[in-house]
Amino acid sequence: MTVKQITAQDELKNILEQEEALLLKHSLTCPISSDAKNQFEKFTGQTELPAYIIHIQENRELSSLVAEHFDIKHESPQVFYIKNGEVKFHASHFDITAKKLEEVTK
């Protein structure tokens, strides 16, 4: 599935209303984030789960809103598996792997 960039609060609201979704908070300047994005895209290329990305430098407020909404400390990179509006799994940095995403979304 194609990863869609989100930039607005209403797009985040729509994600929270979906049955399942993946969300990646991505830093455009961090090599660790680049590796995590590659792992995220590797997994999303093999699944039908809706997948979204926030570029944190361009959307700091939206990135902060995610942290506040889920009461999960902001990190970058950071991935969330959201099911029925709740985070069922989240990870950051080197813990973001295609294999781990496959395991937690089964």
Side-chain angles (χ1 to χ4, degrees):
M1 172 145 290
T2 303
V3 177
K4 181 179 186 248
Q5 182 180 349
I6 65 166
T7 58
Q9 287 185 17
D10 62 331
E11 292 173 304
L12 178 60
K13 184 179 178 221
N14 289 339
I15 292 169
L16 298 175
E17 292 172 354
Q18 294 179 15
E19 185 177 331
E20 288 181 290
L22 290 168
L23 175 63
L24 177 69
K25 290 174 30 174
H26 171 59
S27 169
L28 299 168
T29 57
C30 172
I32 295 169
S33 194
S34 181
D35 290 344
K37 182 177 180 264
N38 289 339
Q39 287 292 309
F40 184 76
E41 290 175 338
K42 179 180 176 183
F43 174 72
T44 59
Q46 310 171 52
T47 184
E48 293 300 312
L49 278 174
Y52 304 91
I53 189 168
I54 297 172
H55 293 160
I56 60 168
Q57 285 90 341
E58 298 170 353
N59 298 286
R60 288 196 189 276
E61 284 183 33
L62 189 59
S63 178
S64 295
L65 185 62
V66 171
E68 287 173 27
H69 178 82
F70 293 122
D71 196 26
I72 296 173
K73 181 182 175 229
H74 166 77
E75 296 189 64
S76 174
Q78 190 172 34
V79 70
F80 300 88
Y81 170 52
I82 303 164
K83 190 167 185 174
N84 299 316
E86 295 182 15
V87 172
K88 296 299 181 184
F89 169 80
H90 67 94
S92 66
H93 297 83
F94 295 111
D95 292 331
I96 301 172
T97 65
K99 184 177 188 319
K100 188 65 175 175
L101 291 172
E102 183 178 353
E103 289 171 5
V104 300
T105 59
K106 283 186 177 178

